[in-house]
Amino acid sequence: MTPRSKKFFAAGSLLLLCVVVVTERAGLSSPGEWGTEARHASFFVKTEAADAEVHLVFAAPPDSHPLLHYAEHLAWLNSVGADARDADRHSNAWTSDRAVGYWLSGAPEDLPDLLETLSGVFEPIDLPREFVEQERDVILREYERRIAGNPDALAAEEMDAVLYEGNAIALSVIGMPEEIVELDQDEARALHAETHRPESATLVIIGDVTGREIRRALREAGWQEPEGRRVEFAPPSFDLAAPTDTTLRRPWPKATPRLLWRRVVALTEPVQFDLLEARTALLRDILDTNLPGGVAGPLRFDAAVARSFGIRIWPVDEDNVEVSFTASPDWGVSLTALQAVFEETLAKTAESGIPEATHARVLERFDGFWPDWDDEDETARWMADYLLDRVSALREPLPEHELRRLDQGLTHETINALLRQIADEGRTVAAFIGPEDTFE
């Protein structure tokens, strides 16, 4: 699953035609019994898990952060009440750069109660003023805990602003302290009323329950009917700005020196999202090896430039891919030199190409990317995670039979073509973290 999305916990193009999508195996292959006229968008995955999970996801309007994160806090507090103010309430709601979600879990027989409680996020926010004002302090503490004093997190926020310039995902989800203290409760209530509507929601239910039990639980919970037509959402559009190279120097005298390097490149032609995700994951596995075509040899074992490193590659959308390289330099190596050697290694590898033997060897081990399709329990658990990832990203998940065929698109030629594209020009940002004398 793609690692891109930033989520802050507090407390789609989902053009679906049925209320509950049900199969006894994985839940994404056949339509439910409510037909094509339903105005809900819901998914169901049947697993053998002891608990049932209920998730509710809404799209984030453009330019709604950090106000949407504040509205999420208030909506969860409003729906759960005093129970939401304990120390662990943040595990039941989240806001990302493209969506906001809420979830509860419990025994399958408690599904009506779970749905009834979760439906409280539809209700208008009606909280005592002191609670509303205190919640800004909660978000400030969240910022201090997750970002302030964390050089990597601070750098990531700055890198996002450069890499995604001109796009909705460039905005900080949580905001800066000066923005947080200015969050307006009336504006948060208005944004909640605009976004948290039944016709805008996607419901996901996972657990050892049947479609019939879900429909009965929805009736018992008095689940709200949409007042209008289903609101169709897609991931926010993304247009990559002109290529650029930016270096951020963030001196932290006591920090271990490290390089954070990221690049977003535009593909020469679009690729279906799930297939592109699989290709980027396979390429990442290849580059991470000490095999010919990998970067471990040139960076660690041959030249002793990096003491440790990590690579991630993932699709931003069907047309753009992001690469992330994080590394600590070996003794006596500056961060500038480390960046130069990595970029040279990437360019040389792209020019020479990944050897066919390396591609074949890593592809043999790549089966772990998907479940064992012959194991029904493992498949159901994998499909549940996949479903939540796609819905949270406002993307329509593929049915199981289409996912099974994706490995046919992981050819040696396509992986080499992807490597050449990520080694080409794009928007590149490098962040140097640590004592200044390690930068140059």
Side-chain angles (χ1 to χ4, degrees), residues 116-151:
E116 183 178 5
T117 300
L118 197 62
S119 68
V121 300
F122 293 128
E123 299 297 327
I125 294 174
D126 183 17
L127 293 168
R129 180 167 292 272
E130 61 269 23
F131 277 14
V132 176
E133 293 175 349
Q134 289 171 10
E135 209 62 22
R136 284 196 295 263
D137 295 333
V138 171
I139 296 175
L140 277 172
R141 292 198 299 272
E142 187 179 354
Y143 176 89
E144 293 167 357
R145 184 174 67 253
R146 296 171 183 266
I147 297 181
N150 182 338

Side-chain angles (χ1 to χ4, degrees), residues 73 76 87 266 374 389 420:
H73 273 249
W76 190 243
D374 294 325
D389 181 86
R420 288 191 295 271

